[in-house]
Amino acid sequence: MATLQTAVDFYWNGLLGGAIHFVETLFNGEFVHPWVVPAIKSAVTLLFLWYSIKTISRLYFRILERMLEKNIEGHSVREPYTVRDTSFVEELDAAQFPVHTLTALIKEKAWGKLGDIHARLNQPAESAKWYLKDKQYLRAAEQLARAGRTLQAARLLQRCGEYETAAHFWLELGNYGKAAKAYKQAGNLPEAARAWITQGKVQQGIRCFEEILNSRTIGAEEKVKAADLCYHLIQNSGLSSRLPIAQKNELYKALARTFLSAKRPALAASLFQEAGETGVASEIFKRLNAPDVPTYKKEKP
């Protein structure tokens, strides 16, 4: 009891009294009416108590709210489209509340999300429509292809500059001519040549191979890959029989030079021989068949 009385006295006369004394000293005067000082002390005390109770109440209710959230976790019922933007939630909302969810996304102009939702709901044609609106042309083309509209997908990709993918779609449609053009636009001359030759336009295909093999800017590795493809087509598609002799010989010589630089002399020699360059071929064969002569360093005396 004595301790409480001491604390109250310290607060009332010490803290508050000291504060009032400071104010009187600051303004160089005293309060005239004797009731003013107790009134000020009471007002400050009430204000302090009100603020303390408010703070403690807020803290208490916050703790209580957290406890309730933990207790009902996993049992709460979610209103449609009130959870953070996640693909899984959107998919569920679209399936359960299609009008509400899709209308909200349309209002937000979230075209890409609409495309995602329809794609996951296995509605590729509808998905493609929204991807197109969002300018996601590659994904729109993929959805068009899923919907069986491969022709539209190929045309869309061609317009958007996705030539390599467009070429694959043209191949699926059996349009080798357009596939060849798309491959050429993509800079893939070997595949363009293959497509031309498959369609029966041998001269256009051979010109692609000649362009690669005789180029001074294309790297050696790319040339060898093109030469391998060309040689494969010669061996397996009867390509050589469809070429004039002079053109065939020039093609064989270009192939032989490429294989020789790639350290494949046996193949190069056989191609030189077929091209009529028997002297060059025999020289290569001699080097291949020559025995390795050991060399010895002369010892210093």
Side-chain angles (χ1 to χ4, degrees), residues 138-187:
L138 187 57
R139 299 182 80 176
E142 288 172 357
Q143 293 303 315
L144 285 170
R146 281 183 60 198
R149 293 153 68 176
T150 312
L151 181 61
Q152 285 178 265
R155 285 174 177 167
L156 173 61
L157 290 165
Q158 192 90 19
R159 287 199 304 270
C160 300
E162 296 285 343
Y163 300 118
E164 192 93 21
T165 313
H168 293 316
F169 284 179
W170 288 124
L171 287 176
E172 284 182 28
L173 291 165
N175 195 326
Y176 295 100
K178 287 194 175 180
K181 288 177 183 176
Y183 275 129
K184 194 163 186 181
Q185 286 175 299

Side-chain angles (χ1 to χ4, degrees), residues 67-194:
M67 290 173 66
L68 286 170
E69 283 177 359
K70 281 192 174 183
N71 287 335
I72 66 172
E73 189 176 357
H75 303 282
S76 58
V77 178
R78 174 177 51 79
E79 290 296 323
Y81 207 69
T82 56
V83 182
R84 286 189 178 182
D85 182 20
T86 64
S87 59
F88 180 67
V89 168
E90 286 172 354
E91 185 178 342
L92 289 177
D93 284 344
Q96 296 175 20
F97 316 99
V99 176
H100 186 283
T101 304
L102 299 178
T103 304
L105 287 171
I106 290 168
K107 283 181 181 178
E108 291 177 19
K109 296 183 178 180
W111 317 129
K113 289 181 181 178
L114 282 161
D116 292 340
I117 287 172
H118 285 293
R120 285 191 293 271
L121 293 174
N122 198 25
Q123 298 170 349
E126 190 69 18
S127 175
K129 181 180 79 174
W130 295 112
Y131 280 140
L132 275 172
K133 199 169 179 66
D134 200 46
K135 297 181 179 179
Q136 295 190 48
Y137 299 119
L138 187 57
R139 299 182 80 176
E142 288 172 357
Q143 293 303 315
L144 285 170
R146 281 183 60 198
R149 293 153 68 176
T150 312
L151 181 61
Q152 285 178 265
R155 285 174 177 167
L156 173 61
L157 290 165
Q158 192 90 19
R159 287 199 304 270
C160 300
E162 296 285 343
Y163 300 118
E164 192 93 21
T165 313
H168 293 316
F169 284 179
W170 288 124
L171 287 176
E172 284 182 28
L173 291 165
N175 195 326
Y176 295 100
K178 287 194 175 180
K181 288 177 183 176
Y183 275 129
K184 194 163 186 181
Q185 286 175 299
N188 192 340
L189 289 177
E191 288 303 324
R194 190 208 296 262

